[in-house]
Amino acid sequence: MKAVVLVGGEGTRLRPLTETIPKPLIPLVDRPFLEHVLDHLGAYGVEQALLSSPYLEEAFAPLVGARRAPPRPVWITEPEPLGTGGAVANAARGLEETILVLNGDILTDLDLAALVAHHRDAGGIATLTLAPVEDARPYGLVTVDEHGRVLEFREKPADPVAGLVNVGTYVLEPEALLGIAMDRPVSIEREVFPSLISSGRPVTAFVSHAYWMDLGTPEKYLQATFDALEGRIGGLDYAAPYVDPTAQVSLRARLGRWVVAGPGSVLEDDAEVEDSVVLDRAKIEPGAKVRGSIIGPRARVERGAVLSGAVLAERAVARAGVVRDGARVGAGRVLTG
């Protein structure tokens, strides 16, 4: 089986980290998030993963070229943004088989075999994975009838309401992609699926209680990291805190349980890090305190600085002694007092 993995988003809610790193390539514990997605597909026998992105396309080349485990990644050039629907149609052009489609920013341990079996039993043109939530405001609701057919996509409610929401994993027949415009961005959620529903083509729901998390914000990214460290995600097994073998962590540094120290990172004497991710080659200098933050590659938190809820992009610097909550520091920029 083949899968299309949607990796083309610009990750605007994760900026400034995504100014230089595509969202699917931000590490989740020990490797880029996209590697986790591909490993999940490989565990279910998916042989090929089709990827495309017009945003920072060159950054994907090392992963695509180096991966040897299944599924084999195949890069599809997308010169202009085509939206989620256009990206799927472009990547799957010429395929005459059932395909999986996954949003490349959602972490899940969904049983893909059960999803595909449900799709084939239902005999629909498309199957959407849905999950029940207590508050659908961040997502919008999906209405399903008593036979499991999807009836409509509803806008995000203004008030808290429980219901079923789309979690970004689909099974599609080739016919579902016919007629998608390739000269403008097309949304699979807002255009393709509603069009199929209105035409009377059977779009079915697969309701799942599996783990899933949209990694689109710093808070969600950190929560997914903590969940991985706590063993809440099937297929992932880490010790907490996670310290890469190449990290240099002083015996006098203090690390909380929910901490990742990435490759080549440096945590010096009396540094305190809690509920945070320190990415590759970042440095936390003596006496600095970091809580609930993401410290980007080769970023530096200087001596005695105190950060809470911060996001430092690649090569960003928090100057010595600065105290700040919620700071967002762009690539190569400096945060001062």
Side-chain angles (χ1 to χ4, degrees):
M1 195 171 195
K2 296 181 175 63
V4 175
V5 183
L6 296 167
V7 297
E10 295 187 9
T12 53
R13 294 176 296 160
L14 264 175
R15 286 182 179 167
L17 197 61
T18 49
E19 290 175 351
T20 59
I21 311 170
K23 181 166 56 173
L25 297 184
I26 294 174
L28 181 76
V29 188
D30 64 337
R31 56 193 183 276
F33 174 67
L34 180 56
E35 287 274 17
H36 291 283
V37 175
L38 295 176
D39 290 345
H40 186 223
L41 289 170
Y44 286 93
V46 175
E47 300 169 346
Q48 189 178 89
L50 306 169
L51 315 171
S52 65
S53 173
Y55 181 66
L56 298 177
E57 177 178 359
E58 66 283 354
F60 290 90
L63 184 151
V64 172
R67 186 173 174 89
R68 295 295 177 262
R72 179 171 59 91
V74 175
W75 191 261
I76 308 295
T77 299
E78 186 181 330
E80 299 293 334
L82 295 173
T84 51
V88 174
N90 182 53
R93 193 193 304 266
L95 295 183
E96 299 179 354
E97 60 192 85
T98 305
I99 61 168
L100 276 165
V101 177
L102 294 84
N103 282 348
D105 58 358
I106 291 180
L107 178 65
T108 182
D109 57 9
L110 174 68
D111 186 335
L112 298 177
L115 168 63
V116 173
H118 176 88
H119 172 79
R120 288 174 173 155
D121 289 345
I125 193 171
T127 297
L128 284 61
T129 304
L130 308 179
V133 297
E134 294 299 320
D135 183 358
R137 284 179 299 174
Y139 310 105
L141 288 163
V142 180
T143 304
V144 178
D145 69 15
E146 65 273 17
H147 304 294
R149 287 185 60 165
V150 178
L151 299 179
E152 65 173 341
F153 285 75
R154 293 164 55 189
E155 293 296 324
K156 297 177 181 178
D159 300 312
V161 59
L164 295 172
V165 299
N166 172 21
V167 298
T169 303
Y170 320 118
V171 187
L172 303 181
E173 295 301 322
E175 296 85 354
L177 303 174
L178 295 177
I180 292 178
M182 302 299 290
D183 57 350
R184 64 175 178 85
V186 175
S187 167
I188 197 168
E189 302 88 357
R190 296 185 180 89
E191 297 180 69
V192 176
F193 291 144
S195 177
L196 292 174
I197 292 165
S198 64
S199 70
R201 309 298 296 273
V203 176
T204 60
F206 179 74
V207 179
S208 171
H209 294 270
Y211 178 93
W212 68 279
M213 181 72 72
D214 176 351
L215 275 64
T217 68
E219 296 77 14
K220 295 292 188 182
Y221 168 75
L222 286 174
Q223 186 60 58
T225 300
F226 305 156
D227 290 345
L229 294 177
E230 287 293 307
R232 297 173 183 154
I233 307 167
L236 301 185
D237 183 19
Y238 294 106
Y242 178 85
V243 177
D244 186 88
T246 64
Q248 301 175 46
V249 179
S250 167
L251 293 176
R252 291 176 52 189
R254 292 184 285 279
L255 275 64
R257 178 171 175 81
W258 289 353
V259 167
V260 172
S265 60
V266 178
L267 282 64
E268 298 191 326
D269 291 352
D270 300 317
E272 297 181 16
V273 181
E274 294 187 22
D275 303 349
S276 298
V277 174
V278 181
L279 293 176
D280 57 293
R281 289 171 285 175
K283 177 184 281 190
I284 314 297
E285 293 189 356
K289 298 179 181 180
V290 176
R291 180 187 295 273
S293 299
I294 306 168
I295 309 302
R298 288 175 279 188
R300 190 169 76 254
V301 181
E302 292 187 344
R303 183 181 297 267
V306 179
L307 299 180
S308 178
V311 180
L312 271 59
E314 187 169 5
R315 289 193 174 92
V317 177
R319 285 294 188 212
V322 69
V323 178
R324 192 72 63 87
D325 290 342
R328 299 290 186 267
V329 188
R333 296 187 177 274
V334 178
L335 177 68
T336 64

